[in-house]
Amino acid sequence: MDTSSPLRVDAALRDARARIDDDDARVLVAHALGQAPSWLYAHDDDVLTAADVARIEALVARRAVGEPVAYLTGRRGFWNLDLDVGPATLIPRADTECLVEAALARIVAGATACVADLGTGSGAVALAVAQARPAARVVATDASVPALSVARGNARRLGIGNVAFVLGDWLRPLAARRFDVIASNPPYIAAGDPHLREGDLRFEPAMALESGADGLDAIRAIAASAPGCLVDGGWLLLEHGYQQGQCVRRLLAQEGCVDIATLRDFGGQDRVTLGCRRAGR
Ligand code: GLN
């Protein structure tokens, strides 16, 4: 980018578009200027300062080598929440809204249900559920200290008070408690899967993505302990890969769950498997 002469917004956008995707260029140029992308339409001929140009250039250069847009802006929309995200957290996916929907369908509005979200990352699932069910008490765990700090920051900024965040693996810090609903979007990609070397996944924390040779280590660990932490009639809901539905249904059956089903995401792929703890187990 030529920084010697005054540069206008339209020229900066053109430069950015030559190097990165059009939508990403709009988002990042606007972000560098402290504006929403829609602001750009009416400000084509605004003249940029040298500092503006330098900020735009830095963001475009990072995007050009693959850094996720969500890490560059520090934000990602999920459900109806605008979440802070960072390199310590998975970037929330639209697919995971299927998990939120399935959890909400099993929490009666107004009931003081106890809900757990395991491996909360940015807090996406826990916060979406807690906001939609203000009478519920939600507890969210994560084994990553920096991820929990992002999640706590989101709860504070969004004013969502009915979530407690606890450090630890899956249910381990909650072992003595009983829940009406346990939900988790754990890592479920097989170690060595070529997708891990593509796109945003290259920059996301491996501990939030990879889980053993078949991708099912975390799901096996959760399936083994979760039914014992559910009330009779309580539900376990697990997000998983689009080819893992059958394996997860089998695992939940082995652990004594009933009414097991797999739900599809908005793209029509198997995405969430759920099972109920039988009464008197
Ligand atoms: N759904 C994500 C992906 O395939 C992975 C998220 C996860 O492992 N929980 O990109």
Side-chain angles (χ1 to χ4, degrees):
M1 204 178 279
D2 176 10
T3 52
S4 58
S5 59
L7 194 66
R8 292 174 7 159
V9 166
D10 51 3
L13 258 178
R14 207 169 34 244
D15 282 354
R17 282 205 185 105
R19 295 161 65 193
I20 61 177
D21 168 271
D22 277 14
D23 288 341
D24 294 352
R26 298 189 65 76
V27 168
L28 293 177
V29 170
H31 180 73
L33 301 175
Q35 303 289 349
S38 58
W39 177 91
L40 296 170
Y41 291 112
H43 294 267
D44 261 3
D45 51 6
D46 279 23
V47 173
L48 301 171
T49 66
D52 291 336
V53 173
R55 277 197 308 277
I56 293 170
E57 167 58 22
L59 288 173
V60 171
R62 289 169 67 187
R63 181 62 191 142
V65 294
E67 270 193 69
V69 174
Y71 289 162
L72 296 176
T73 61
R75 283 283 169 91
R76 177 50 51 97
F78 176 79
W79 197 249
N80 58 354
L81 307 172
D82 199 17
L83 295 170
D84 282 342
V85 298
T89 70
L90 190 79
I91 300 165
R93 316 280 206 260
D95 293 342
T96 303
E97 298 186 343
C98 174
L99 180 65
V100 171
E101 225 170 48
L104 290 178
R106 284 157 186 83
I107 307 167
V108 179
T112 54
C114 290
V115 180
D117 170 27
L118 313 180
T120 196
S122 62
V125 172
L127 292 169
V129 168
Q131 194 190 50
R133 294 287 182 272
R137 278 170 298 155
V138 181
V139 53
T141 67
D142 205 288
S144 156
V145 172
L148 273 187
S149 125
V150 172
R152 285 196 181 103
N154 277 320
R156 212 173 305 123
R157 188 173 47 78
L158 296 167
I160 300 173
N162 55 329
V163 189
F165 294 96
V166 183
L167 181 68
D169 278 331
W170 315 130
L171 279 157
R172 197 167 298 156
L174 313 174
R177 296 184 50 180
R178 291 291 177 112
F179 295 93
D180 299 287
V181 170
I182 297 175
S184 182
N185 172 20
Y188 52 69
I189 299 176
D193 185 309
H195 291 104
L196 295 166
R197 297 194 299 275
E198 292 171 13
D200 287 0
L201 276 69
R202 292 169 296 166
F203 293 84
E204 293 180 289
M207 72 183 285
L209 294 169
E210 280 185 57
S211 199
D214 61 357
L216 289 166
D217 282 4
I219 287 178
R220 271 189 290 270
I222 294 169
S225 57
C229 294
L230 286 170
V231 300
D232 288 346
W235 288 92
L236 171 62
L237 302 97
L238 294 170
E239 180 172 328
H240 52 71
Y242 70 100
Q243 292 168 314
Q244 294 171 330
Q246 192 182 25
C247 288
V248 180
R249 288 195 297 278
R250 201 178 301 135
L251 272 168
L252 294 193
Q254 278 163 13
E255 299 299 334
C257 291
V258 294
D259 294 336
I260 296 165
T262 296
L263 309 175
R264 296 198 166 152
D265 61 25
F266 305 120
Q269 311 264 36
D270 281 0
R271 187 59 61 192
V272 170
T273 292
L274 48 94
C276 183
R277 178 184 155 115
R278 196 173 35 215
R281 193 169 164 258

